[in-house]
Amino acid sequence: VGMGAVLGAVGVGCGIPHLVRSILLDDWRRCITVCSLIGGVSSIISLLLLSEGPLGTRAESSKSCQASKSCTTKTNEKNDEYSSCQNKLANITDECPGMSIKTSLDSMKHEGAGANMTIKDAEAIKLEEVHAEEGLETGRRIQNDREICGFEALKVASSWKGVMGSIFSDINGVLRNPECLCCIIAYCGHNYELFGIWAWYRQYCDDSRVGRYVTKDVDTMEQGSALAAFLVMACSALSPMVTSLFADYFGRTRVCLISVVISLGGGLAIGDTMNCPHSVLWAGWAWCMVTLADAAQYGAMMAEVAPPDLAATALTMQFGIGYLFSLPGMIIIPAVVPTVGWAWGWRFLCVGPLVALLALLKLCTLPGAKRIQ
């Protein structure tokens, strides 16, 4: 349901430029400026109100890395101190080869006493004895620090090559997983159709004279078309949340299959309503609502079928590739409509739900998808 709310908000957000255009029809520069400001304000609100999720974040990883770096710095400082003490101890043992530090000092005391050594010599021997004790104590502290730190910094500070190798390994793991691959393909087909509708429905309303039906005025027909496009997209925003409730009870693949089949039928039939503005408005709303209805389920399916250690990578790939495939849907309409008309132009978008349908049918046959059916 949460994902459904997010996707519903996306639908409203994509319709806001049409709303702004219906108000600022004659000034496209102001229209772009207003839409940009709305997007900026929305981003700031999200940044202030939303918190981090339950999974690990980069901030936590950064703290861990900083702690490891601090541990490494302290260890290096103690290593330097230990090396200095070792050098001092080496000078002592060089004078008395074959003896331990304590034996060497005792021997030096005895020999010095027999030769009536001066106070300065005695102080020097005492100082060396203190250095020896400090060296032993420092060695013990360093050993304890190494056990505590465990040289975590060496594990965290992995090489760039190792990081890239891990990323490509995760990507390869996602692509080799048939359930994840089916979810990605289905989402690509879904976005291909959805964004094609969102991008060109207003122009379809213009050519169908829907604006006159909305505003009852020929002079404001273009504004009426833009307002109609916004209303159609905004009124479809509740469908992902409602669909999510049904998907939790009846299975995600079943709900997606029903939505894709209805959306496919809508794409085949919507072009035949062009000569009836009333039908263009209501049929377009129904088509847009059904197409958006299953938008939240593709991400939810991916999160459930992907291996836990690959879930984040799988979701990132799904959304990234899916939005990439929204471009062909937006490009193909203006390329074919001048030649074949709107009826067949919309039917070119039916390739998307058809591909999604085949991918979902394949997903239903896979063992890993049983928990989402």
Side-chain angles (χ1 to χ4, degrees):
V1 177
M3 283 290 293
V6 171
L7 270 297
V10 170
V12 175
C14 291
I16 284 178
H18 297 305
L19 176 63
V20 176
R21 181 178 171 82
S22 68
I23 301 172
L24 304 173
L25 182 64
D26 297 329
D27 194 341
W28 62 269
R29 291 181 179 86
R30 289 175 60 191
C31 182
I32 293 176
T33 302
V34 171
C35 292
S36 299
L37 290 175
I38 293 174
V41 171
S42 300
S43 300
I44 294 173
I45 293 175
S46 299
L47 185 64
L48 294 176
L49 296 182
L50 298 181
S51 59
E52 297 292 346
L55 301 180
T57 63
R58 289 187 176 181
E60 295 174 355
S61 301
S62 177
K63 291 179 181 178
S64 176
C65 183
Q66 291 176 359
S68 299
K69 289 180 179 178
S70 176
C71 177
T72 304
T73 302
K74 292 180 180 179
T75 304
N76 290 337
E77 291 175 354
K78 293 187 179 295
N79 280 335
D80 294 339
E81 183 182 353
Y82 190 35
S83 299
S84 176
C85 292
Q86 282 182 326
N87 292 333
K88 294 178 181 179
L89 294 176
N91 293 333
I92 298 174
T93 55
D94 288 342
E95 298 177 4
C96 304
M99 299 183 180
S100 64
I101 296 172
K102 185 173 180 58
T103 304
S104 299
L105 291 174
D106 292 341
S107 176
M108 290 172 67
K109 288 180 183 178
H110 178 73
E111 292 176 359
N116 297 321
M117 64 178 178
T118 63
I119 296 177
K120 185 177 181 179
D121 293 334
E123 290 177 350
I125 292 176
K126 183 66 176 177
L127 181 61
E128 296 297 342
E129 188 178 42
V130 171
H131 285 167
E133 294 296 335
E134 289 178 351
L136 294 174
E137 180 63 25
T138 301
R140 287 192 290 268
R141 289 203 308 270
I142 290 175
Q143 183 63 29
N144 291 335
D145 289 337
R146 285 176 175 173
E147 291 177 357
I148 293 172
C149 292
F151 293 103
E152 291 295 331
L154 297 177
K155 298 178 181 179
V156 174
S158 57
S159 65
W160 178 251
K161 182 179 179 180
V163 172
M164 294 303 297
S166 176
I167 292 174
F168 284 114
S169 176
D170 289 349
I171 292 174
N172 183 56
V174 172
L175 294 178
R176 288 181 175 272
N177 187 296
E179 290 87 356
C180 293
L181 194 59
C182 287
C183 289
I184 291 175
I185 294 173
Y187 187 64
C188 289
H190 163 80
N191 272 10
Y192 171 85
E193 180 190 30
L194 179 63
F195 281 86
I197 299 172
W198 280 351
W200 294 104
Y201 183 73
R202 189 201 63 81
Q203 186 62 46
Y204 182 58
C205 289
D206 274 348
D207 295 346
S208 303
R209 301 180 182 273
V210 171
R212 185 177 179 180
Y213 170 76
V214 174
T215 62
K216 309 299 182 181
D217 187 355
V218 178
D219 296 333
T220 58
M221 188 167 61
E222 292 187 17
Q223 290 175 307
S225 297
L227 181 61
F230 168 74
L231 291 175
V232 165
M233 296 169 67
C235 292
S236 303
L238 292 177
S239 63
M241 290 184 284
V242 176
T243 305
S244 297
L245 294 175
F246 285 101
D248 290 338
Y249 288 99
F250 299 106
R252 305 195 189 283
T253 52
R254 291 189 181 93
V255 170
C256 286
L257 284 171
I258 295 172
S259 178
V260 165
V261 170
I262 298 176
S263 177
L264 179 61
L268 294 173
I270 188 68
D272 297 329
T273 64
M274 186 170 182
N275 295 324
C276 181
H278 185 275
S279 298
V280 168
L281 187 60
W282 291 102
W285 170 70
W287 185 32
C288 187
M289 181 180 63
V290 173
T291 305
L292 182 62
D294 60 343
Q297 304 311 313
Y298 296 100
M301 286 191 295
M302 177 65 86
E304 293 179 4
V305 302
D309 57 328
L310 296 177
T313 302
L315 285 168
T316 302
M317 291 177 61
Q318 183 186 38
F319 285 112
I321 299 173
Y323 279 105
L324 181 64
F325 271 83
S326 67
L327 293 175
M330 293 186 284
I331 293 172
I332 195 170
I333 294 295
V336 301
V337 165
T339 304
V340 300
W342 278 107
W344 281 100
W346 287 129
R347 286 165 188 163
F348 273 92
L349 291 183
C350 294
V351 174
L354 181 60
V355 170
L357 177 63
L358 296 176
L360 290 170
L361 291 174
K362 176 63 178 178
L363 180 62
C364 292
T365 64
L366 299 175
K370 290 182 179 180
R371 55 181 173 272
I372 61 174
Q373 293 179 0

